[in-house]
Amino acid sequence: MKISQLAKKVGVSSHTLRYYEKVGLLIPSKRNVNGYRDYSEDDVSALKFILACKDSGFSLTETQSLLAIKDNKDQHACAEAKLITQLKIAAISQQIVQLKNMQRTLVNLEKYCSGGNKSAEFCSIISALEGGK
């Protein structure tokens, strides 16, 4: 199938597919004599795997590693996929802590601001942020 057909089938843009090919995630099974990409059902499965990785929060590098495991299961241990997943969980947990700290800061900034129509010279949000230099 052509790139536009694959894109439509899985709900992504042709641009996304070209990008995945450029970074080495998705390699068409073959090219026609005229150079057009010719995708197979195996390519559809690979793309669905890539999109599932993306939806799970894995980076392109992590996705490449997981694809390598998927494509050569007999040469890899399940522990490799688990380690990649554990590292992603740890990174996301750290991001959650950072986001909660940001939220707490913003809630406090918002709480003490009257939001009135006076000059921003008296804005407690701006003052607090200026003091944080």
Side-chain angles (χ1 to χ4, degrees):
M1 75 186 79
K2 293 181 182 177
I3 194 168
S4 60
Q5 294 167 312
L6 176 60
K8 185 176 181 179
K9 185 170 190 165
V10 295
V12 298
S13 70
S14 296
H15 176 77
T16 297
L17 296 177
R18 285 187 195 93
Y19 178 74
Y20 287 161
E21 183 179 346
K22 180 181 174 184
V23 298
L25 282 179
L26 183 66
I27 299 163
S29 297
K30 62 182 180 174
R31 286 190 180 257
N32 293 331
V33 178
N34 60 9
Y36 290 147
R37 296 163 183 87
D38 188 13
Y39 293 98
S40 67
E41 286 303 316
D42 287 341
D43 296 323
V44 173
S45 296
L47 181 57
K48 287 180 179 180
F49 184 87
I50 292 165
L51 295 175
C53 287
K54 180 181 178 229
D55 289 345
S56 297
F58 290 110
S59 68
L60 293 176
T61 302
E62 293 160 340
T63 299
Q64 283 178 320
S65 297
L66 291 166
L67 267 172
I69 295 168
K70 176 186 111 29
D71 291 342
N72 298 293
K73 293 175 187 161
D74 60 334
Q75 297 175 18
H76 294 276
C78 183
E80 294 174 71
K82 183 169 184 162
L83 178 60
I84 293 167
T85 302
Q86 288 171 326
L87 292 172
K88 179 52 71 177
I89 291 168
I92 289 172
S93 295
Q94 182 60 36
Q95 288 175 323
I96 290 170
V97 168
Q98 292 170 338
L99 288 169
K100 285 182 178 181
N101 287 336
M102 283 187 244
Q103 182 184 37
R104 195 170 17 264
T105 299
L106 291 170
V107 165
N108 284 331
L109 286 172
E110 190 268 342
K111 185 182 346 179
Y112 296 110
C113 180
S114 67
N117 291 325
K118 292 183 183 177
S119 168
E121 283 183 65
F122 307 105
C123 179
S124 62
I125 295 173
I126 299 300
S127 295
L129 293 172
E130 283 180 324
K133 290 181 188 175

